[in-house]
Amino acid sequence: MQEFKQLHQQTTPFIIGNVWDAASARCAQQAGYQALGTSSAAIASLLGYEDGEQMPFAELVFMVRRIAAVSKLPVSVDIEAGYSREPEHIADHIQQLTGLGVVGINIEDSRVDESRTLVDVDQFAAILSAVRNILRQRQVEVFINVRCDAFLLGLDHACAETVKRAQIYQMAGADGLFVPCLTQAGDIKAVVAASSLPVNVMAMPDLPCFEVLAGLGVKRISSGNFAHDAMHRHLLNQLVEMKQSGSCQSLFDSSTVG
């Protein structure tokens, strides 16, 4: 866990390899990534579920076990909102994952019921603090990366809300702050300056290049489920091409394989 924590203190952001199964974990390791992070949306899609804790936690554990079995890299797991509303149960889930060798988790401050909404900041901070205290009592060490969804949900006051939550989450025991859909330089600066938590951003079409992000103080970059989605778009194109051409040749075309 300390090795993983140190990755968030480098002079340049570290790119976490977002994976969804053993094969993608092997790819990320071969590509030279320093750590792996599971994508809950990608794993859910792989298993035929919608995102938002529709996948049973036991099936997530199975996938994490297979990922951990094929890689020596540190693994962080996206546990969405914790697969429970009770701190004791959330801590149980985290402890189960650390038993597989997991060193970090992502937990988000929004929940999906009929739609995705932010949890009240004080309510979420109380849950976070309770989970951290339970884990400390059990002597379970894990890097807690809190995902703040103000930008993801497109709130008008997303930057101010994220800044407020960053400060509260740091006091509640967070180790890092993950802000998906945070892309504008001014907003990134404000969020980075709001606390001492290392800030994690996610791939988006208008996200600045890594060099610019380093200058803005970003410490970690995720790709979410976008690599998984791109891979399946490629697969669909391959299947359509093979069916329409009446040939398997496209599977072996050097311009499309690699």
Side-chain angles (χ1 to χ4, degrees):
M1 200 278 283
Q2 291 304 318
E3 176 188 346
F4 183 70
K5 195 170 186 177
Q6 286 299 107
L7 292 176
H8 296 77
Q9 303 303 325
Q10 301 176 135
T11 55
T12 57
F14 93 92
I15 322 305
I16 195 164
N18 282 122
V19 300
W20 50 92
D21 60 9
S24 57
R26 284 194 180 104
C27 286
Q29 182 164 299
Q30 291 170 8
Y33 283 78
Q34 295 174 291
L36 305 178
T38 67
S39 163
S40 63
I43 293 177
S45 175
L46 177 72
L47 296 175
Y49 296 103
E50 294 295 322
D51 194 22
E53 296 186 334
Q54 299 302 303
M55 169 177 55
F57 185 73
E59 296 190 34
L60 173 62
V61 171
F62 172 80
M63 297 304 296
V64 172
R65 182 179 289 112
R66 298 313 311 148
I67 288 167
V70 301
S71 174
K72 298 184 183 302
L73 295 177
V75 177
S76 180
V77 174
D78 181 351
I79 63 168
E80 304 194 61
Y83 285 82
S84 177
R85 304 298 179 252
E86 298 298 325
E88 190 85 22
H89 295 156
I90 296 172
D92 289 343
H93 291 154
I94 295 171
Q95 187 169 8
Q96 189 174 356
L97 292 170
T98 60
L100 300 176
V102 168
V103 298
I105 59 102
N106 277 12
I107 187 167
E108 55 206 39
D109 66 358
S110 67
R111 293 177 186 157
V112 179
D113 293 313
E114 292 184 2
S115 61
R116 184 179 291 277
T117 56
L118 276 181
V119 178
D120 173 79
V121 62
D122 293 327
Q123 180 186 353
F124 182 81
I127 292 171
L128 176 61
S129 180
V131 169
R132 174 59 87 188
N133 287 336
I134 293 166
L135 293 174
R136 189 177 293 116
Q137 290 166 10
R138 298 179 184 179
Q139 298 183 318
V140 175
E141 291 191 350
V142 67
F143 186 98
I144 298 180
N145 200 36
V146 175
R147 193 181 94 177
C148 178
D149 282 349
F151 281 92
L152 183 145
L153 292 170
L155 300 186
D156 291 337
H157 56 294
C159 188
E161 185 67 24
T162 303
V163 164
K164 177 180 76 174
R165 288 177 178 248
Q167 295 165 347
I168 293 172
Y169 296 164
Q170 181 173 353
M171 293 178 62
D175 295 299
L177 183 72
F178 177 28
V179 191
C181 302
L182 173 65
T183 60
Q184 299 303 306
D187 292 337
I188 295 172
K189 281 184 178 179
V191 172
V192 168
S195 74
S196 62
L197 297 176
V199 173
N200 177 183
V201 298
M202 185 178 75
M204 295 294 291
D206 53 350
L207 186 73
C209 70
F210 297 165
E211 183 178 0
V212 170
L213 291 173
L216 294 171
V218 168
K219 294 298 185 180
R220 172 169 158 180
I221 301 170
S222 304
S223 58
N225 62 316
F226 293 117
H228 175 265
D229 290 350
M231 184 186 73
H232 281 274
R233 286 195 301 271
H234 179 73
L235 173 61
L236 176 60
N237 291 337
Q238 286 284 346
L239 294 174
V240 169
E241 171 65 22
M242 186 168 65
K243 185 172 182 289
Q244 291 181 345
S245 67
S247 167
C248 297
Q249 191 56 46
S250 64
L251 297 177
F252 307 98
D253 185 345
S254 61
S255 67
T256 59
V257 177

